[in-house]
Amino acid sequence: SGRKPTEARASTTDAEARIMKFPDKSYRPGYNVQFSTDTESGIIVGVEVTNCGNDQGELPPMLEQIEERYDRRPEEALVDGGFASHDAIDKAAERGCTVYAPLKEEEKQLAAGKDPYAPKKGDSPAVAAWRERMGTAAAQLIYRLRGQTAEWVNAQSRNRGFQRMPVRGRPKCRTVAVLYAIVQNIVQGGKLRAEAAMHTG
C-alpha cells in the first residue's frame, strides 16, 4: 500500500508480556489478570493470567476451569462488557450458563430511539435471549451483584499491594495471582466462619 509499516514493539524485560492500555490511560508491558468470584460468599473460584489486552475470549475457559475444579458448572455469569462477545455468550449457553452483561452502546441506542433489547440481524438464539434479558428489571438487579463482588475483590487485591507483577513470565505471574486469591479466600473465609458462629451462638 505504500504506507510505512508499524514499528514492532516488544518488552525488553519480559518476552511474554504485551503492550496494554492501563486504567491511567498509559501503555506499557503487562498481563491481564482475571478473578472469578462467587457472588454469595465473595470467595475467588477461578484465576487466570493472559497476555491478551481484551477479555472477549476469556469467559469460556474460565467456565471450564471452574467446572474442572468444582465438578459443576456455574448457572449464571455476571461479566463486564469486555467479556460479552457473541461467541462467548453462545459457548456459555452451550454449557448451561446464563450470561448477564451490559449491552454495547445501550444508552446511545436508547437516545436515538432504538430498542437495544430487540434481536439484531445475525443474532444466535442465545445472543437474542441475552439482549432481551438485559432489558428486564430483574436482570439489571442481578447484574448489580457484580460490582459488590468482582470490583470489591479487585480493590482488595490492590489494597494488599497487587499493583505490579514482581516476577517475569506468564506462569510465574499466574502463581502470584493465585497467591493473592488464596489470601483473599483465607480472609473472607474467616469472616464467613465468624458470621456463622454469631448466628449459631
Side-chain angles (χ1 to χ4, degrees):
S1 64
R3 291 181 298 178
K4 184 178 180 180
T6 303
E7 182 180 357
R9 296 184 297 174
S11 171
T12 57
T13 57
D14 187 346
E16 291 187 81
R18 295 293 181 270
I19 301 297
M20 297 183 183
K21 185 176 182 179
F22 283 78
D24 61 4
K25 298 183 179 180
S26 66
Y27 288 85
R28 56 185 183 270
Y31 288 95
N32 189 345
V33 178
Q34 307 290 340
F35 289 138
S36 181
T37 309
D38 175 58
T39 56
E40 184 176 353
S41 65
I43 295 294
I44 295 175
V45 295
V47 180
E48 193 51 89
V49 174
T50 74
N51 59 7
C52 183
N54 65 65
D55 302 323
Q56 289 191 1
E58 300 307 316
L59 178 57
M62 184 62 78
L63 294 177
E64 292 173 3
Q65 181 186 143
I66 294 171
E67 182 178 6
E68 182 179 353
R69 180 173 291 118
Y70 298 98
D71 199 28
R72 61 177 178 172
R73 301 171 180 175
E75 295 180 359
E76 298 176 336
L78 285 58
V79 299
D80 66 28
F83 286 83
S85 69
H86 292 183
D87 183 60
I89 293 171
D90 286 337
K91 289 181 178 178
E94 291 171 2
R95 292 167 171 78
C97 180
T98 301
V99 174
Y100 293 85
L103 301 174
K104 186 178 181 180
E105 298 182 336
E106 180 178 356
E107 296 298 328
K108 185 177 179 179
Q109 291 184 63
L110 289 170
K114 299 179 181 179
D115 183 3
Y117 314 115
K120 301 286 192 291
K121 184 178 180 181
D123 278 354
S124 66
V127 172
W130 160 66
R131 292 190 198 279
E132 182 179 359
R133 178 167 56 250
M134 295 311 297
T136 66
Q140 293 172 14
L141 184 63
I142 290 172
Y143 188 71
R144 290 179 189 174
L145 295 173
R146 183 186 172 277
Q148 67 190 47
T149 50
E151 300 302 336
W152 170 70
V153 163
N154 290 336
Q156 292 282 64
S157 295
R158 287 193 295 271
N159 290 341
R160 295 186 180 110
F162 198 19
Q163 304 273 353
R164 187 184 298 269
M165 284 294 182
V167 295
R168 300 291 181 264
R170 195 172 74 87
K172 292 181 181 179
C173 289
R174 189 178 188 280
T175 299
V176 171
V178 169
L179 290 173
Y180 273 93
I182 291 172
V183 170
Q184 164 66 19
N185 290 351
I186 290 173
V187 173
Q188 186 63 11
K191 291 180 179 178
L192 293 172
R193 285 191 293 272
E195 290 175 2
M198 288 179 61
H199 291 307
T200 57

